Amino acid sequence: MGPRDNLDLAVDEVRDFNRMYTRLIGVLDYPGQLNTPYTLSEARILYELARRERTHVSALREQLGVTAAHLSRTLSRFEERGLVTRERHHRDARFQEVLLTAEGRAAADDLDRRSHEAVTRLLAKFPRNELGRLREALATARHALTGPAEPEVRLRGLEPGDLGWIVQRHGAVYAREFGWNAEFEALVARIVGEFGAGHDPARERAWIAELDGRPVGSVMCVRDEQPDTARLRLLLVEPEARGRRLGEWLVGTCVDFAREAGYRDLVLWTNDVLTSARRIYERAGFELIAEKPHRGYGSPLVGQDWRLALRGPEHD
């Protein structure tokens, strides 16, 4: 046998590393890894579902790189255990969506906690300076195998400090882009303050969009004065995060929550200069129902009322 080339050597080294790593983290013990009843594949699917409010089954299959049959069997097992529900998309019945139940989210959170603790124990024996070298080596391997990592985008609920961030970023972004004065920031502060002082979690919710762990967007769904009506408020996407359809994701999440909470209508008030936001509302199905000129935040504006019917009379 002649001398082996770099490709052959690299293949052997990657395979050897895989064997070493699987022994190290114990994945060969699945099912029962981390003292849970889930296989490696099931745990991965639960992890991906937990990162989203709801997920198109086709998008989940592409993300995981599994066959439709395999994913369908796994989701069926999850349904039998009460971990997920599946339903047709409310605007396009060709697509099926899957949602974690409260029990499913608890299971995913438990898996995530156990995995974090296991890796923490693994790395705790490393000197701190070695951890930096390890991270650099992992980044090098990831880049070599997959190219530069895509920024991670996710939606989550509120955490401490988020309400203040919403106020500060609305004030800064709208002052820079539209020249609005402190009146607008004061309005946002009142809205946020009312929400923070007391809201019904079953009927009112707020979300933060993150890009690589940094907050870059927000939206709120709150009870309106009108009966059976929710109000969408404080939609924001930071300029550097635009173009990733975060606005559509935030609005869609708000719409889905309002529908599931049992509201008949979802309404919002905006201004005509916010053209990008208006396009998002139109695509989500909102209809413009009223316009009125006003002077606000130091500028002449045209205020707009928009409405989305969440259920018709046949559902009453």
Coordinates of all heavy atoms in Angstrom, one line a residue, residues 33-72:
Q33 N -30.0 8.3 28.1 CA -29.0 9.3 28.3 C -29.5 10.4 29.2 O -30.6 10.8 29.1 CB -28.5 9.8 27.0 CG -27.3 10.7 27.0 CD -27.6 12.2 27.0 OE1 -28.7 12.5 27.0 NE2 -26.5 13.0 27.0
L34 N -28.6 10.8 30.1 CA -29.0 11.8 31.1 C -30.2 11.4 32.0 O -30.9 12.2 32.5 CB -29.4 13.1 30.4 CG -28.3 13.7 29.5 CD1 -28.8 15.0 28.8 CD2 -27.0 14.0 30.3
N35 N -30.4 10.0 32.1 CA -31.4 9.5 32.9 C -32.8 9.9 32.5 O -33.7 10.3 33.3 CB -31.2 9.9 34.4 CG -30.0 9.3 35.0 OD1 -29.7 8.1 34.8 ND2 -29.2 10.1 35.7
T36 N -33.0 10.0 31.2 CA -34.3 10.3 30.6 C -34.7 9.2 29.6 O -33.9 8.4 29.2 CB -34.3 11.6 29.8 OG1 -33.5 11.4 28.6 CG2 -33.6 12.7 30.6
P37 N -36.0 9.1 29.3 CA -36.5 8.0 28.4 C -36.3 8.3 26.9 O -36.8 7.5 26.1 CB -37.9 7.9 28.8 CG -38.3 9.3 29.2 CD -37.1 9.9 29.8
Y38 N -35.6 9.4 26.5 CA -35.6 9.8 25.2 C -34.3 9.4 24.4 O -33.2 9.4 25.0 CB -35.7 11.3 25.1 CG -36.9 11.8 25.8 CD1 -36.8 12.5 27.0 CD2 -38.2 11.6 25.3 CE1 -37.9 13.0 27.7 CE2 -39.3 12.0 25.9 CZ -39.2 12.7 27.1 OH -40.3 13.2 27.8
T39 N -34.5 9.0 23.2 CA -33.3 8.7 22.3 C -32.6 9.9 21.9 O -33.2 11.0 22.1 CB -33.8 7.9 21.1 OG1 -34.6 8.8 20.3 CG2 -34.6 6.7 21.4
L40 N -31.5 9.8 21.3 CA -30.7 11.0 20.9 C -31.6 11.7 19.9 O -31.6 13.0 19.9 CB -29.4 10.5 20.2 CG -28.6 11.6 19.5 CD1 -28.2 12.7 20.5 CD2 -27.3 11.0 18.9
S41 N -32.2 11.0 18.9 CA -33.0 11.7 17.9 C -34.2 12.4 18.5 O -34.5 13.6 18.2 CB -33.5 10.7 16.9 OG -34.4 11.3 16.0
E42 N -34.9 11.8 19.5 CA -36.0 12.4 20.2 C -35.6 13.6 20.9 O -36.3 14.7 20.9 CB -36.7 11.4 21.1 CG -37.4 10.3 20.3 CD -37.9 9.2 21.3 OE1 -37.4 9.0 22.4 OE2 -38.9 8.5 20.9
A43 N -34.5 13.5 21.6 CA -34.0 14.7 22.4 C -33.7 15.9 21.5 O -34.0 17.0 21.8 CB -32.8 14.3 23.2
R44 N -33.1 15.6 20.3 CA -32.8 16.6 19.3 C -34.1 17.3 18.8 O -34.1 18.5 18.7 CB -32.0 16.0 18.2 CG -31.7 17.0 17.0 CD -30.8 18.1 17.5 NE -30.4 18.9 16.3 CZ -30.0 20.2 16.4 NH1 -30.0 20.8 17.6 NH2 -29.6 20.8 15.3
I45 N -35.1 16.5 18.5 CA -36.4 17.1 18.1 C -37.0 17.9 19.1 O -37.5 19.0 18.9 CB -37.3 15.9 17.6 CG1 -36.7 15.3 16.3 CG2 -38.7 16.5 17.3 CD1 -37.4 14.0 15.9
L46 N -37.0 17.5 20.4 CA -37.6 18.3 21.5 C -36.8 19.6 21.6 O -37.4 20.6 21.9 CB -37.5 17.5 22.8 CG -38.6 16.4 23.1 CD1 -38.3 15.7 24.3 CD2 -39.9 17.1 23.2
Y47 N -35.5 19.5 21.5 CA -34.7 20.7 21.6 C -35.1 21.8 20.5 O -35.3 23.0 20.8 CB -33.2 20.4 21.5 CG -32.3 21.6 21.4 CD1 -32.0 22.3 22.5 CD2 -31.8 22.0 20.1 CE1 -31.1 23.4 22.4 CE2 -31.0 23.2 20.0 CZ -30.7 23.8 21.2 OH -29.9 25.0 21.1
E48 N -35.3 21.3 19.3 CA -35.6 22.2 18.2 C -37.0 22.8 18.4 O -37.3 24.0 18.2 CB -35.5 21.5 16.8 CG -34.1 21.2 16.4 CD -33.3 22.5 16.2 OE1 -33.9 23.5 15.9 OE2 -32.1 22.4 16.4
L49 N -38.0 22.0 18.9 CA -39.3 22.4 19.1 C -39.4 23.5 20.2 O -40.1 24.4 20.2 CB -40.2 21.3 19.5 CG -40.6 20.3 18.4 CD1 -41.4 19.1 18.9 CD2 -41.4 21.0 17.3
A50 N -38.5 23.3 21.2 CA -38.5 24.2 22.4 C -38.0 25.6 22.0 O -38.2 26.6 22.7 CB -37.7 23.6 23.5
R51 N -37.3 25.7 20.9 CA -36.7 27.0 20.5 C -37.8 27.9 19.8 O -37.5 29.0 19.5 CB -35.5 26.8 19.5 CG -34.4 26.0 20.1 CD -33.3 25.7 19.1 NE -32.7 26.9 18.5 CZ -32.1 26.9 17.3 NH1 -32.0 25.8 16.6 NH2 -31.6 28.0 16.9
R52 N -39.0 27.3 19.5 CA -40.0 28.1 18.8 C -41.3 28.0 19.5 O -41.6 27.0 20.1 CB -40.1 27.6 17.3 CG -38.8 27.5 16.6 CD -38.9 26.7 15.3 NE -37.7 26.7 14.5 CZ -36.6 25.9 14.7 NH1 -36.6 25.1 15.7 NH2 -35.6 26.0 13.9
E53 N -42.2 28.9 19.2 CA -43.6 28.8 19.7 C -44.3 27.7 19.0 O -45.0 26.9 19.6 CB -44.3 30.2 19.5 CG -43.8 31.3 20.5 CD -44.3 31.1 21.9 OE1 -45.4 30.5 22.0 OE2 -43.7 31.6 22.8
R54 N -44.2 27.7 17.7 CA -44.8 26.7 16.8 C -43.9 26.5 15.6 O -43.2 27.4 15.2 CB -46.2 27.0 16.4 CG -46.4 28.3 15.7 CD -47.8 28.5 15.2 NE -48.7 28.5 16.4 CZ -49.9 27.9 16.3 NH1 -50.3 27.3 15.2 NH2 -50.7 27.9 17.3
T55 N -43.9 25.3 15.0 CA -43.0 25.0 13.9 C -43.7 24.3 12.8 O -44.5 23.3 13.0 CB -41.9 24.0 14.5 OG1 -41.3 24.6 15.6 CG2 -40.8 23.8 13.4
H56 N -43.4 24.7 11.6 CA -43.9 23.9 10.4 C -43.2 22.6 10.4 O -41.9 22.5 10.6 CB -43.6 24.6 9.1 CG -44.5 25.8 8.8 ND1 -44.5 26.5 7.7 CD2 -45.5 26.4 9.6 CE1 -45.4 27.4 7.7 NE2 -46.0 27.4 8.9
V57 N -43.9 21.5 10.2 CA -43.3 20.2 10.2 C -42.2 20.1 9.1 O -41.1 19.5 9.3 CB -44.3 19.1 10.0 CG1 -43.7 17.7 9.8 CG2 -45.2 19.0 11.3
S58 N -42.5 20.6 7.9 CA -41.5 20.6 6.8 C -40.2 21.3 7.2 O -39.1 20.9 6.8 CB -42.1 21.2 5.5 OG -42.6 22.5 5.8
A59 N -40.4 22.5 7.8 CA -39.2 23.2 8.2 C -38.4 22.5 9.3 O -37.1 22.5 9.3 CB -39.6 24.6 8.8
L60 N -39.1 21.8 10.2 CA -38.4 21.0 11.2 C -37.6 19.9 10.6 O -36.5 19.6 10.9 CB -39.4 20.5 12.2 CG -38.9 19.6 13.4 CD1 -38.0 20.5 14.3 CD2 -40.0 19.1 14.2
R61 N -38.2 19.2 9.6 CA -37.6 18.1 8.9 C -36.3 18.6 8.2 O -35.3 17.9 8.2 CB -38.5 17.5 7.9 CG -38.0 16.2 7.2 CD -39.0 15.6 6.4 NE -39.4 16.3 5.2 CZ -40.6 16.9 5.0 NH1 -41.5 16.8 5.9 NH2 -40.8 17.6 3.9
E62 N -36.4 19.8 7.5 CA -35.2 20.3 6.8 C -34.1 20.7 7.8 O -32.9 20.4 7.6 CB -35.6 21.5 6.0 CG -36.5 21.2 4.8 CD -37.0 22.4 4.1 OE1 -36.6 23.5 4.5 OE2 -37.8 22.3 3.2
Q63 N -34.5 21.2 9.0 CA -33.5 21.7 10.0 C -32.8 20.5 10.5 O -31.6 20.5 10.8 CB -34.3 22.4 11.1 CG -33.4 22.8 12.3 CD -32.4 23.9 11.9 OE1 -32.7 24.7 11.0 NE2 -31.3 24.0 12.6
L64 N -33.5 19.4 10.8 CA -32.9 18.2 11.4 C -32.2 17.3 10.4 O -31.4 16.4 10.8 CB -33.9 17.4 12.2 CG -34.5 18.2 13.4 CD1 -35.7 17.5 13.9 CD2 -33.4 18.3 14.5
G65 N -32.6 17.4 9.1 CA -32.1 16.4 8.1 C -32.5 15.0 8.3 O -31.8 14.1 8.1
V66 N -33.8 14.8 8.7 CA -34.4 13.5 8.8 C -35.4 13.3 7.8 O -35.9 14.2 7.2 CB -35.0 13.3 10.3 CG1 -33.9 13.5 11.3 CG2 -36.1 14.3 10.5
T67 N -35.8 12.0 7.6 CA -36.8 11.7 6.6 C -38.2 12.0 7.2 O -38.4 12.1 8.4 CB -36.8 10.2 6.3 OG1 -37.2 9.4 7.4 CG2 -35.4 9.8 5.8
A68 N -39.2 12.2 6.3 CA -40.5 12.5 6.7 C -41.1 11.4 7.5 O -41.8 11.6 8.5 CB -41.4 12.8 5.4
A69 N -40.8 10.2 7.1 CA -41.4 9.0 7.9 C -40.8 9.0 9.3 O -41.6 8.7 10.2 CB -41.1 7.7 7.1
H70 N -39.5 9.2 9.4 CA -38.9 9.1 10.8 C -39.5 10.2 11.7 O -39.9 10.0 12.8 CB -37.4 9.3 10.7 CG -36.7 9.4 12.0 ND1 -36.5 8.3 12.8 CD2 -36.2 10.5 12.6 CE1 -35.9 8.7 13.9 NE2 -35.7 10.0 13.8
L71 N -39.6 11.4 11.1 CA -40.2 12.5 11.9 C -41.6 12.3 12.3 O -42.0 12.6 13.4 CB -40.0 13.9 11.2 CG -40.5 15.1 11.9 CD1 -39.7 15.3 13.2 CD2 -40.3 16.3 11.0
S72 N -42.4 11.8 11.3 CA -43.8 11.5 11.6 C -44.0 10.5 12.7 O -44.8 10.6 13.6 CB -44.5 11.0 10.3 OG -45.9 10.7 10.6

